[in-house]
Amino acid sequence: MSDFPIPEIVAELRHVRAQWRGQQGRTDTAQREFPSRDAVARAVDALKGVLYPLRLGPPELRQAGEDFYIAHTLDSALQALRTQAAIELGYRARHDGEALEGEALARRATQVVREFAQSLPRLRQWLDADVLAAFHGDPAAHSVDEVVLSYPGVLALIHHRIAHVLYLLELPLLARMVAELAHGQTGIDIHPGARIGAGCFIDHGTGVVVGETAVIGRNVRIYQAVTLGAKRFPRDAQGHLQKGWPRHPIVQDDVVIYAGATILGRVTIGRGAVIGGNVWVTEDVPPLAHVTQASVRQAIATPPDAGPLPVAA
Amino acid sequence: MSDFPIPEIVAELRHVRAQWRGQQGRTDTAQREFPSRDAVARAVDALKGVLYPLRLGPPELRQAGEDFYIAHTLDSALQALRTQAAIELGYRARHDGEALEGEALARRATQVVREFAQSLPRLRQWLDADVLAAFHGDPAAHSVDEVVLSYPGVLALIHHRIAHVLYLLELPLLARMVAELAHGQTGIDIHPGARIGAGCFIDHGTGVVVGETAVIGRNVRIYQAVTLGAKRFPRDAQGHLQKGWPRHPIVQDDVVIYAGATILGRVTIGRGAVIGGNVWVTEDVPPLAHVTQASVRQAIATPPDAGPLPVAA
Amino acid sequence: MSDFPIPEIVAELRHVRAQWRGQQGRTDTAQREFPSRDAVARAVDALKGVLYPLRLGPPELRQAGEDFYIAHTLDSALQALRTQAAIELGYRARHDGEALEGEALARRATQVVREFAQSLPRLRQWLDADVLAAFHGDPAAHSVDEVVLSYPGVLALIHHRIAHVLYLLELPLLARMVAELAHGQTGIDIHPGARIGAGCFIDHGTGVVVGETAVIGRNVRIYQAVTLGAKRFPRDAQGHLQKGWPRHPIVQDDVVIYAGATILGRVTIGRGAVIGGNVWVTEDVPPLAHVTQASVRQAIATPPDAGPLPVAA
Amino acid sequence: MSDFPIPEIVAELRHVRAQWRGQQGRTDTAQREFPSRDAVARAVDALKGVLYPLRLGPPELRQAGEDFYIAHTLDSALQALRTQAAIELGYRARHDGEALEGEALARRATQVVREFAQSLPRLRQWLDADVLAAFHGDPAAHSVDEVVLSYPGVLALIHHRIAHVLYLLELPLLARMVAELAHGQTGIDIHPGARIGAGCFIDHGTGVVVGETAVIGRNVRIYQAVTLGAKRFPRDAQGHLQKGWPRHPIVQDDVVIYAGATILGRVTIGRGAVIGGNVWVTEDVPPLAHVTQASVRQAIATPPDAGPLPVAA
Amino acid sequence: MSDFPIPEIVAELRHVRAQWRGQQGRTDTAQREFPSRDAVARAVDALKGVLYPLRLGPPELRQAGEDFYIAHTLDSALQALRTQAAIELGYRARHDGEALEGEALARRATQVVREFAQSLPRLRQWLDADVLAAFHGDPAAHSVDEVVLSYPGVLALIHHRIAHVLYLLELPLLARMVAELAHGQTGIDIHPGARIGAGCFIDHGTGVVVGETAVIGRNVRIYQAVTLGAKRFPRDAQGHLQKGWPRHPIVQDDVVIYAGATILGRVTIGRGAVIGGNVWVTEDVPPLAHVTQASVRQAIATPPDAGPLPVAA
Amino acid sequence: MSDFPIPEIVAELRHVRAQWRGQQGRTDTAQREFPSRDAVARAVDALKGVLYPLRLGPPELRQAGEDFYIAHTLDSALQALRTQAAIELGYRARHDGEALEGEALARRATQVVREFAQSLPRLRQWLDADVLAAFHGDPAAHSVDEVVLSYPGVLALIHHRIAHVLYLLELPLLARMVAELAHGQTGIDIHPGARIGAGCFIDHGTGVVVGETAVIGRNVRIYQAVTLGAKRFPRDAQGHLQKGWPRHPIVQDDVVIYAGATILGRVTIGRGAVIGGNVWVTEDVPPLAHVTQASVRQAIATPPDAGPLPVAA
């Protein structure tokens, strides 16, 4: 006899799952229904090696073997991605009542992944610009290689640029999984839908949030805890959130946004503007403007006068 | 000869450890003294598969095999958890001078883990409500499955709901380890003691801190960098922190707390209230109230007038 | 025939890499050019076991075997670290045009790693003080062991104290990799160059940023989302950032800095001062002073009067 | 430049493969063509755990969890086996010009594996008889459990009994792979086609060979290096070997065959007969007969008379 | 619905197991009943590294770190062995109706493993003699290191010498598992009870069988497929095999036994004797004698006269 | 205190190792002295995938990706082999008192491995002939693919053909390690020095021994337990074995050698000859001859007359 009432708990869990599936209108299936987080993570790790073989690939790799490594790793990663893409396409088709399966599904998945693959060289170029931006923008950076090897902002952008292509190719679930892998690792939460120009540098990065419809120009610098968010969530007549409309900021080229700044709504931050730390922006900012917090009054007391102090812990 | 003075360093480290153990009043033991982080992590991963087998379990699983997978995985995970629970119970008994060991310790650990196991179906129900809340609360969410597969807020709540049961069953160390596994992964730091109602949605989540005695009602929505913290840390006559008294906020049903808001102390945020971004709250808020930052003055300057700009990097 | 145009993509990627190497003035080499993140991660994990064998070492370890475990693990970790140190030293020498290779390089790497090794007992002592500070500073802490096993602030400090020694020994790249491993895990971003006294407690920690030239005294307490940053980034005549000059705060002994506070520039926070939550500091603070946000006006409206609410999501 | 002419070697290997495929009349395919040895090995290991959970299953298993372990492990192993079975069935159909693919192939594989699964309880009964036979037949055996845990003859029979069912279900390639896994491990080479009654004991076993059409009764004991082989390989008019006809011995119940004996051709060894060590048998042996080598003359010489000695090394 | 009737098969298997346990008089237990093959294999691999650190230990080991590696590896391996020893001792006590459990069992296991540990330096000395014997006895051997790194006879003797100590310490099941690990790898089947002097060389080895009560002197050389077996298996009044009495050969110092020779029963092969290939010996052989097969008549026919040829395949 | 006297045992083992190193004239070194069995095993597994990508490579591989897989796997395997080759070359140079190190050693290793690599296409051709020979020679073989996937004789020949090239390139230690990996897996012991023509088929194989100077022609078939051995081991004036002289048989084209046959010394088995099972040959056999055991007298007795029967167990 088990020390634990396993069969009873299994039955109760089955019951709860049946409730859920009933509510969600799910039917039984013998298929794999959902992409696998582990499979996606392995594919993305392989693609990181394909993009930066000597710095993010296997330690034993040398220059002479780069192309062999890339060809095989790319081939394997694309096969794996195609499998996951077919799962997502099939899942969506099933939920949308479309008839996409068998050969047609396989062809569609192949086509989508082929387009993805062809974007990789361009991605590497954009990422190289990001790396240079980080090197030139951080007084603590010793070399471009240190940047690729250890800067979380670069890691987040590698994931984002991959995720964004998947998003454009209408694989939003895979795209989101790729983005969340970076979010978990870096604390930088960029929605795959966001459009980010080359030469982007996100420093420190923890707490950065960039929304789905945000647009960021070239050579933009962003510090930790910056939010590019929505200001309102309008609902339709049935009370459901309206999805997909432009609700996040547009940040033009050469803007700098310092730590903790919050920019909300479909506002435009003009070219070359600088947004100071902790500033809260909900309206357009003209090009080249410097926005800072007006000096906040602070109370400085010295004991014994100091009363109880509000703490945040 | 080694290139490194290993024996000397080993001896010095032994000396430092002996100092520490002396200070802490530790005695020698042949037992395993501390739960293993890896063992706890494996058990929690297994429990995630038990709760959401097709989405968080192994990729090769299909509906037809769910119950077999759950029964075996649950049995193994509970055995493993019992081992770790016995270590914590023994550790606490030793430090409290209680006589709990051998058979009695094993029985106690079994009983505690059995109670934990019986809570799992209810946990899944609460988590399903959390998932629906996320789906309905985020305009970027495409499906409930995307939410389970990739939303950090859901991951944090799965861990929290497990950790909270362990906390109630007086396994605070295991509970904390479970919570920190989610904190490390998501940047969401919920103390296992916090009571959180069903239908909770934590969006983005990085930087969220929820304190030990916080109470959160049903259908509450929380954005990134929100703190539900303590306002004061009173000390007793000996100067030691007083532990365990209610010092964190009560958040009633249907409240929304936007990003960066800080709520401190045993205040009550009334049902349906909305706390705006970056707001600092140290007093009660009435039901249905909307609290926003009064408009902060900002200084906008355009070059060449713009002087040196304070940055936060 | 492959479904994907692998050879074409490989060729394009080769072309982009060649461009990059051309721009960066790189020459071909048969050497391993960059330290391996995985190798560094393994070495640091081993060193954590060396410092706290029963709590952070392998689960099957018992007191009786501690020294054997430490000696072997230390020996292996130092060998591995030496390999990575030699790669970094060789990389730097190559980029600086110095002639450091072969035997000379090996000797230098050995010497540096030997010095590193000798610092470990002192590190453990400092870390013990950090652990006690956490235990005494957090009302939710049940035991010193819970602190070592699960507090992210302690994890971040273990990494930092290791990284700082590597930084002082002029291995900035390895140091940064060690720091980023903790940043990814905890959301606490401490530059390896920062000097931090014993008895430091970082609670919750997500979003903490401590800059390269920051100096922190003994027994300092820091909460989540605190920034110790730079205020300006001066550039030289060529428009390049000036590197290495003191640009981050000095925090004296016994200071407490509450969540979300931002302290910028080479200011001094005097001994025993307390900086309140969310406060923005760009000037010196005298010893024992308490700095708090002057009460910010808040607008509280109750429906139906409440207009559209700015949200940050 | 690589130190090795990789592209040239790759091209030459491609050429050799093309030659082979041309000779063998192979066409290109995008399918997986061959079962995977690793997948088969994992499935068989799982089945060994299903048959003997406490002795050959995972070390942490206890009696209370046996059925949960078996149900899940069996389900997974059968899924994996079905995948491999479908590959073999598809491979054979392709080579035989049959139209078996898609749904029809999947159904056929499922049906075959279902029949296989249903044979498992009977297999365990036969194997229990084998285990008892080993225990009673070996003066060195201390317990039935030692026999299951460590006797190569039992391992070989577990594999054989699984392989034989696969052979009967017309999966000869999977059957052979299962058999060879045991051959590699034990040196006992039993063709999956051989029919072996319950209560079989193969002691030591290295070098035992049992041919495809051999028939072995109940309670037969066989020692190392025994061959039950064919005597002739007739060829057809085209000079091809005739396949499938009965060409190996029939060994009736209760026979004992000592080490090194060779029995060739479709002869019958009658019930209860004993075949002595190293004996060469090519004719029927009556029931209860004892066949021994007639004493071979040996030359014993003592130095200095001993000349050069033929050695076999 | 599963494609496979899992619950039915699980039930049938449970029924068969219950039958077996009934027949064997087993009672239910919550304990781990049997040593784990994998755990034993890991411990033996560790001990091989302890005995020959640079040649059989981890590839990254260097001379300078040998003692650290040995101390830690030995400590771990002995802990693991003690766990398995306690399982075997408990198992035997349970089956013998002895009361050995809890503290007493732990003490007994510790004592036995301590004695085992103390034998290791002597084992290494004997094994060094074996290695030299192989080097001097094989014209194909290039170095003593090649012998340690690749000769199966040496591997078999390392296992045997470990297994024999376990056998003497009354852990016959662990001993057998150690022996079978070598048998599976090398095809050399030495019962742990056999006594083998230093300087033994087993060349090629496949098919060698050495029985439980065999005694082999110093500097004996043995080739492949040699059997040192029993001649008779007497049974007692109840028809059970008599266990434990001396029934295998005594081989004195400096004997050479060529390939395929079979020596049966408690005979003595005198010092310095040479047994030729394929010879069958069932009587004593005097010291220094050379025993060879008297020339066997062979039939040599040339086609077309050659009739059908008996084959063994 | 440890339960085991670890430091004492470590000291004794150190003492024994010092004795050994003293006897063997070894000096201390900081180098890796010996090739790593695991590294060699990994390289050979990779080469098997290079030679037979779809059948012995990774299960997920498809025809379209073969060349990418081969190029990368070959490049990695050759790098790894070069590392091991350099260790062997350095080891031999050190023992022979040659000055081969640093750059010169690296160049030599590269050159040797390059020559090895260039032999691979030819090896595949020879192996294809072996596979066809097995298919045509075994009535139980269903397809050429079954032969590659599961025949131990083919596995042994893949290893042998690789090992033989290494042997010719004067890497006898690596060659031996490659050969022993197959010996352990298949029980077929072919010395790397043996020359074996294309189209060789070794059936069953357990116990086959082929000596260093054996020469085997094309299309030779060999069954289990066949020995091609030496007849005498002459010693030089100092009593040391003479190494390297031709002492094993020459087997010409189209010969068949049935199970258990023993052929000793530098004899020649003429083209097309057939050697029957268990035959003992120490003289030349003319072409096309059939050699069989003259019929051995056997004693057949039936109980109750049957006396005690010699057994070999």
Side-chain angles (χ1 to χ4, degrees), chain A residues 3 14 17 21 26 28 30 32 34 91 180 183-184 189 223 241 243 258 274 280 288 290 292 294 309 311 313, chain B residues 59 66-67 70 82 114 136 139 141 143 145 150 185 204 206 230-231 264 297-299 301 303 309 311 313:
Chain A
D3 289 318
R14 186 192 314 127
R17 286 201 310 278
R21 286 173 186 162
R26 298 292 163 87
D28 286 357
R32 170 81 193 165
F34 309 112
Y91 164 87
E180 280 301 329
H183 184 195
D189 182 357
Y223 290 87
L241 289 174
K243 306 207 167 190
Y258 285 106
V274 178
W280 177 273
L288 300 176
H290 284 203
T292 56
L309 177 85
V311 304
Chain B
E66 277 182 319
D67 281 357
I70 291 173
R82 173 165 55 183
R114 191 186 302 124
H136 292 129
S143 72
D145 300 311
S150 71
Q185 180 64 20
H204 307 300
T206 311
K231 199 159 136 192
L264 301 180
R297 276 172 309 128
Q298 290 172 352
L309 176 85
V311 304

Side-chain angles (χ1 to χ4, degrees), chain D residues 2-6 8-17 19-21 23-24 26-38 42 91 95 167 172-173 176-177 180-181 183-185 187-189 191 203-204 206-210 212 223-224 227 233 235 240-245 247 258-260 262 274-281 284-296 308-313, chain F residues 50-51 53-55 57-64 66-67 70-72 74-75 78-79 82 109-111 113-114 117-118 120-122 124-125 128-129 131-132 135-146 148-152 184-186 203-206 209 221 223-224 227-233 248 258-259 262 264-265 276-278 280 282 293 296-303 306-307 309-313:
Chain D
S2 176
D3 290 317
F4 309 114
I6 304 284
E8 290 74 13
I9 298 171
V10 169
E12 287 178 55
L13 284 167
R14 185 191 316 126
H15 180 69
V16 180
R17 286 201 310 279
Q19 278 187 325
W20 170 261
R21 286 173 187 161
Q23 284 166 19
Q24 297 296 320
R26 297 294 163 88
T27 52
D28 286 356
T29 172
Q31 306 290 309
R32 170 80 192 165
E33 280 196 276
F34 309 111
S36 154
R37 181 188 160 94
D38 285 350
R42 274 194 303 274
Y91 165 86
H95 287 265
Y167 179 90
L173 182 46
R176 185 64 184 255
M177 291 167 94
E180 280 302 329
L181 287 164
H183 184 195
Q185 180 63 19
I188 300 171
D189 182 356
H191 194 284
D203 202 7
H204 307 301
T206 311
V208 164
V209 175
V210 178
E212 182 175 16
Y223 289 87
Q224 70 269 24
T227 294
F233 292 169
R235 294 176 183 271
H240 293 130
L241 288 175
Q242 290 175 14
K243 305 210 166 188
W245 57 282
R247 61 195 183 277
Y258 285 107
T262 302
V274 178
I275 309 298
N278 277 13
V279 167
W280 177 275
V281 177
D284 286 356
V285 169
L288 300 176
H290 285 203
V291 182
T292 55
Q293 252 184 327
S295 59
V296 177
L309 177 84
V311 303
Chain F
V50 164
L51 288 167
L54 290 184
R55 283 169 288 183
E60 69 277 10
L61 191 64
R62 296 294 175 277
Q63 274 192 31
E66 278 181 319
D67 280 357
I70 291 173
H72 173 52
L74 181 57
D75 185 57
L78 296 178
Q79 305 281 1
R82 172 165 55 182
T110 296
Q111 179 193 332
V113 172
R114 190 186 302 124
Q118 284 162 334
L120 287 169
R122 199 176 62 244
R124 160 83 199 227
Q125 281 180 311
D128 281 349
V131 169
L132 284 176
F135 177 63
H136 291 131
D138 181 7
H142 294 78
S143 73
V144 288
D145 300 311
E146 179 186 2
V148 176
L149 285 164
S150 70
Y151 274 45
Q185 179 63 21
T186 64
D203 201 8
H204 308 301
T206 311
V209 175
R221 195 141 36 99
Y223 289 87
Q224 69 268 24
T227 295
L228 304 183
K231 199 160 136 191
R232 295 180 305 123
F233 291 168
H248 301 98
Y258 284 107
T262 302
L264 302 180
N278 277 12
W280 177 274
T282 58
Q293 250 183 329
V296 178
R297 276 173 309 129
Q298 290 171 353
I300 302 198
T302 45
L309 176 84
V311 303

Side-chain angles (χ1 to χ4, degrees), chain A residues 3-285:
Chain A
D3 289 318
F4 309 116
I6 305 283
E8 290 73 13
I9 299 170
V10 169
E12 286 178 55
L13 285 168
R14 186 192 314 127
H15 180 69
V16 180
R17 286 201 310 278
Q19 277 187 324
W20 170 262
R21 286 173 186 162
Q23 284 165 20
Q24 298 296 321
R26 298 292 163 87
T27 52
D28 286 357
T29 172
Q31 306 291 308
R32 170 81 193 165
E33 278 195 277
F34 309 112
S36 154
R37 181 187 161 93
D38 284 351
V40 171
R42 275 194 302 274
V44 172
D45 277 348
L47 291 172
K48 283 189 274 195
V50 164
L51 288 167
Y52 289 98
L54 289 184
R55 284 169 287 184
L56 304 182
E60 68 277 10
L61 190 65
R62 296 294 176 276
Q63 273 191 32
E66 278 182 319
D67 280 357
F68 308 132
Y69 163 76
I70 291 173
H72 173 53
T73 306
L74 181 57
D75 185 57
S76 304
L78 295 178
Q79 306 281 0
L81 208 56
R82 172 164 56 181
T83 301
Q84 300 302 315
I87 293 173
E88 174 167 1
L89 292 170
Y91 164 87
R92 263 232 318 287
R94 223 158 35 242
H95 286 264
D96 296 356
E98 273 178 56
L100 182 65
E101 51 183 25
E103 274 301 301
L105 175 58
R107 260 199 314 278
R108 178 86 189 104
T110 297
Q111 178 193 332
V112 162
V113 172
R114 190 186 301 124
E115 288 185 45
F116 168 79
Q118 284 163 334
S119 76
L120 288 168
R122 198 175 64 243
L123 254 57
R124 161 82 199 228
Q125 281 179 310
W126 288 44
L127 288 164
D128 281 350
D130 299 335
V131 169
L132 284 176
F135 178 62
H136 291 130
D138 181 7
H142 293 79
S143 72
V144 288
D145 300 312
E146 179 187 2
V147 168
V148 176
L149 285 164
S150 70
Y151 273 46
V154 168
L155 183 68
L157 284 166
I158 295 175
H159 278 248
H160 173 68
R161 299 202 183 285
I162 289 171
H164 186 59
V165 176
L166 295 172
Y167 178 91
L168 294 177
L169 292 167
E170 299 189 11
L171 293 167
L173 184 44
L174 293 190
R176 185 65 184 255
M177 292 167 94
V178 172
E180 280 301 329
L181 287 164
H183 184 195
Q185 179 63 19
T186 65
I188 300 172
D189 182 357
I190 308 175
H191 194 285
R195 289 161 46 199
I196 302 183
C200 181
F201 172 35
I202 301 172
D203 200 8
H204 307 300
T206 311
V208 165
V209 174
V210 178
E212 182 175 17
T213 65
V215 180
I216 297 178
R218 301 177 72 89
N219 301 315
V220 169
R221 196 141 37 98
I222 294 174
Y223 290 87
Q224 69 270 24
V226 163
T227 294
L228 303 184
K231 198 160 138 191
R232 296 179 304 124
F233 292 170
R235 293 175 183 272
D236 61 20
Q238 285 76 43
H240 292 131
L241 289 174
Q242 289 176 15
K243 306 207 167 190
W245 57 281
R247 61 195 183 279
H248 301 98
I250 295 169
V251 176
Q252 296 185 334
D253 296 355
D254 303 318
V255 166
V256 180
I257 310 175
Y258 285 106
T262 302
I263 307 177
L264 302 180
R266 192 54 163 192
V267 301
T268 297
I269 309 300
R271 179 185 191 110
V274 178
I275 309 298
N278 276 13
V279 168
W280 177 273
V281 178
T282 59
E283 298 184 0
D284 286 357
V285 169

